[in-house]
Amino acid sequence: MNTVLTAHKLSKRYAEGNNQVAVLNQLDFNLALGERVAIIGGSGSGKSTLLNLLGGLDTTTSGEVTVMGKAFSALIANERGAVRNH
């Protein structure tokens, strides 16, 4: 089984005044070539945040997203776009 997407200890927090709001907390998963998943949840549960992180459109607070063996945090904007298009 070939892994094409990995989220390792993925966390995202936003500042709300003096407070930090955790949207994702230490999420781990792998997605294999040909595998399909659905992301479901109520309004405000972090679905769009997760998709933005997985697509390299937003940066993580901590953790790492890897696509096809390439860590998004190590890529510049043009490289992230090329990975998304591929």
Side-chain angles (χ1 to χ4, degrees), residues 6-52:
T6 300
H8 180 68
K9 297 196 181 293
L10 193 63
S11 295
K12 182 66 177 181
R13 291 177 186 76
Y14 292 102
E16 189 172 282
N18 291 331
N19 299 319
Q20 292 285 316
V21 177
V23 178
L24 300 172
N25 191 25
Q26 304 249 330
L27 175 71
D28 285 318
F29 76 92
N30 296 310
L31 185 63
L33 184 64
E35 188 174 17
R36 294 176 188 233
V37 297
I39 299 172
I40 60 172
S43 178
S45 63
K47 299 178 303 291
S48 295
T49 298
L50 175 60
L51 291 172
N52 286 335

Side-chain angles (χ1 to χ4, degrees), residues 37-74:
V37 297
I39 299 172
I40 60 172
S43 178
S45 63
K47 299 178 303 291
S48 295
T49 298
L50 175 60
L51 291 172
N52 286 335
L53 294 173
L54 296 178
L57 298 171
D58 197 2
T59 57
T60 65
T61 302
S62 64
E64 186 66 71
V65 174
T66 305
V67 177
M68 302 297 289
K70 297 178 182 180
F72 267 128
S73 63

